Amino acid sequence: MSPSFYDPRERDPSLSRRPQNRQDDDWIRALLLRGRVARIATVWQAEDGAAWPFITPLAYVYRPEQNDLIYHTNVVGRLRANTAQAHPVTLEVSEIGDFLPSNSPLELTVQYRSVIVFGQAEILQGEDARAALTTLSERVFPGLKVGETTRPISDEDLRRTSVYRLSIQHWSGKENWAERAIQEDGWPALAEHWFGA
């Protein structure tokens, strides 16, 4: 396999290797809109070039009108430090179904729907942070209204949190929601109890 396959400068990393699982932009938007928890991958790079990747699970909201995602964390910590270095970031949202047995070790699988987002994150300030945190609060908790159900977001609140905007540059969506995994003909079939009720 050519090393360029792994080089994102040579091949768009948002392109799935399995075209039969690829989903279109509308499907991706729908999953991002109904999801509430994501995992974001960032990196810290030291002055000597050594790099440490880090994954943070967190609540998020997708804003299709701005083509971005917003989330927040503590005012200090790894995610804020990594984001401040302005490296590209990757975010993942998924839905997981049943684990699917097979009589072939290579065909054991799981039902999944997933979106991977590639982009650039920034730390929001002032009224941009307040508006984003309001949207995040109200969409993660449907029916909640900032300033009515909760008190308004104060300047002190904004000093105590980091609010982020991930500007989407590329994305990919994949789905494998088969009822059963592929079974091999050259080996005895699995008993029906493996497949549930």
Side-chain angles (χ1 to χ4, degrees):
M1 189 173 294
S2 167
S4 66
F5 178 83
Y6 297 101
D7 188 341
R9 295 167 297 185
E10 301 293 328
R11 182 181 187 277
D12 183 347
S14 68
L15 290 178
S16 168
R17 292 180 297 112
R18 296 184 176 183
Q20 71 273 18
N21 293 346
R22 289 181 196 159
Q23 301 299 317
D24 64 19
D25 289 347
D26 288 339
W27 185 96
I28 291 170
R29 288 186 194 97
L31 192 148
L32 289 176
L33 282 168
R34 70 178 178 265
R36 295 198 296 181
V37 176
R39 285 145 293 276
I40 185 164
T42 58
V43 66
W44 168 267
Q45 190 164 20
E47 290 181 9
D48 65 1
W52 288 270
F54 188 68
I55 295 176
T56 308
L58 40 69
Y60 80 95
V61 166
Y62 169 52
R63 301 190 298 187
E65 59 278 8
Q66 285 102 331
N67 196 39
D68 66 9
L69 298 111
I70 53 175
Y71 47 94
H72 84 108
T73 64
N74 288 331
V75 71
V76 295
R78 292 177 183 160
L79 186 61
R80 181 170 177 126
N82 293 5
T83 302
Q85 286 195 338
H87 301 296
V89 301
T90 304
L91 180 139
E92 183 268 349
V93 176
S94 58
E95 297 175 344
I96 302 298
D98 292 331
F99 285 82
L100 304 178
S102 173
N103 62 355
S104 167
L106 296 184
E107 298 300 338
L108 298 167
T109 190
V110 63
Q111 293 172 325
Y112 69 86
R113 300 180 182 104
S114 69
V115 169
I116 306 293
V117 172
F118 303 85
Q120 193 69 47
E122 63 178 313
I123 301 164
L124 298 177
Q125 304 291 338
E127 292 309 308
D128 289 337
R130 193 186 319 274
L133 192 56
T134 298
T135 300
L136 179 64
S137 301
E138 293 179 351
R139 291 198 194 167
V140 170
F141 296 94
L144 182 147
K145 187 74 173 163
V146 173
E148 294 177 16
T149 316
T150 75
R151 64 170 171 74
I153 297 169
S154 68
D155 291 343
E156 177 59 21
D157 292 334
L158 296 179
R159 285 191 287 272
R160 294 176 53 208
T161 191
S162 298
V163 183
Y164 306 86
R165 172 182 187 265
L166 193 169
S167 177
I168 298 170
Q169 296 170 346
H170 305 280
W171 60 20
S172 66
K174 294 196 307 182
E175 178 178 56
N176 175 20
W177 211 268
E179 291 300 313
R180 288 194 176 190
I182 295 170
Q183 308 296 314
E184 232 176 67
D185 290 335
W187 191 259
L190 292 177
E192 279 302 308
H193 76 270
W194 283 103
F195 300 106

